[in-house]
Amino acid sequence: MKKILTACIIITLMSCGFKEKRNTQSEYYSNYRKVLRKSIPIAKGWKYIVIHHSGTNYGSAKLFHKWHIDSGFGGLAYHVVIGNGNGAGNGEIQLGYRWFFQECGGHLSYSALYHNVFGIGICLVGDFYKRRPTRRQLASLILLLRYFSKKFNIPEQNIMGHKDVPCGEIVIKKHKIIFKPNGMKEDTTCPGRYFPMKYVKNVVFKNKIAKK
């Protein structure tokens, strides 16, 4: 698997940092910043994979990185981008700086911070309100999902589209981070009505080719 990933992944290393806010409660917010950087033991590891579409017909990790800087995210919000042939190769896997430095994602709202901390954000270039992902994009996504789910022991139910991510608050304790859901989900329809989630999960976890 490592050889396959090495062969197929074109690495785009991002150098921007994560913007932080100062606060007088120095100890708590020092830990908060460490959680965002995943630099303390309680924030290590990955529990979820969140799938997005870009909502655009073209794009790449480099382009989205610039857009996200301009939007105040500090840099590419996703950990991984999969190209569609317009701006990046069709099915090309590009890793962002958050993955290289193993940092918290910026691909969800503040209300879903827990899943930003523990969720790998994968964005497929394309507008899946209008059309399906390309076959090569799906093949690359399936490759990544198999790899990540096995490496980090992520179960099927923890692979979700952006619209299915629960909202809530996090409480940082000495030995753990507690998630307190509020019963709401992210206010979006991403990754779009034409994203074949059932098909993807069937292939990844059941080794079954579902009807498209």
Side-chain angles (χ1 to χ4, degrees):
M1 177 61 73
K2 186 175 181 180
K3 291 182 178 178
I4 294 175
L5 286 174
T6 301
C8 73
I9 293 176
I10 295 181
I11 295 172
T12 305
L13 179 59
M14 306 301 179
S15 60
C16 256
F18 191 92
K19 292 185 177 179
E20 301 167 351
K21 294 182 180 180
R22 295 182 179 179
N23 196 289
T24 55
Q25 299 175 346
S26 58
E27 184 177 354
Y28 180 84
Y29 282 90
S30 174
N31 287 334
Y32 187 84
R33 289 192 292 269
K34 290 175 183 177
V35 166
L36 294 184
R37 292 195 180 114
K38 297 178 73 70
S39 61
I40 54 178
I42 59 172
K44 296 293 185 183
W46 303 100
K47 301 178 182 179
Y48 305 92
I49 301 172
V50 181
I51 300 170
H52 303 259
H53 75 155
S54 67
T56 61
N57 293 323
Y58 64 92
S60 66
K62 183 177 181 180
L63 180 60
F64 296 155
H65 180 63
K66 182 179 183 305
W67 287 355
H68 291 170
I69 288 176
D70 294 341
S71 299
F73 293 120
L76 182 65
Y78 311 109
H79 294 96
V80 186
V81 173
I82 302 178
N84 67 349
N86 296 313
N90 188 7
E92 178 182 335
I93 299 170
Q94 299 181 319
L95 302 181
Y97 78 96
R98 294 180 193 268
W99 183 252
F100 283 100
F101 297 123
Q102 291 292 284
E103 289 188 4
C104 166
H107 50 98
L108 302 168
S109 73
Y110 182 79
S111 298
L113 183 59
Y114 186 82
H115 288 71
N116 260 334
V117 174
F118 293 108
I120 302 170
I122 300 177
C123 177
L124 285 76
V125 179
D127 185 348
F128 306 149
Y129 297 121
K130 298 178 180 178
R131 60 184 63 84
R132 290 172 57 88
T134 70
R135 289 180 179 272
R136 290 187 178 182
Q137 281 183 301
L138 290 177
S140 294
L141 177 63
I142 288 167
L143 175 73
L144 287 173
L145 294 182
R146 283 175 171 163
Y147 176 76
F148 287 145
S149 62
K150 183 176 181 180
K151 182 175 179 61
F152 301 109
N153 196 29
I154 299 174
E156 180 178 353
Q157 64 268 24
N158 285 9
I159 295 177
M160 59 190 73
H162 183 180
K163 65 183 176 65
D164 299 313
V165 175
C167 296
E169 63 177 316
I170 66 171
V171 179
I172 302 173
K173 298 291 187 179
K174 184 175 181 180
H175 299 296
K176 62 182 177 179
I177 299 173
I178 300 172
F179 175 56
K180 295 185 175 181
N182 60 18
M184 301 182 69
K185 293 185 177 181
E186 285 278 83
D187 185 18
T188 181
T189 55
C190 175
R193 59 179 177 171
Y194 289 115
F195 181 80
M197 182 67 78
K198 183 177 179 181
Y199 166 78
V200 168
K201 286 191 173 185
N202 276 336
V203 174
V204 172
F205 291 98
K206 300 179 177 65
N207 292 317
K208 182 173 70 175
I209 303 300
K211 292 183 178 179
K212 297 183 181 180

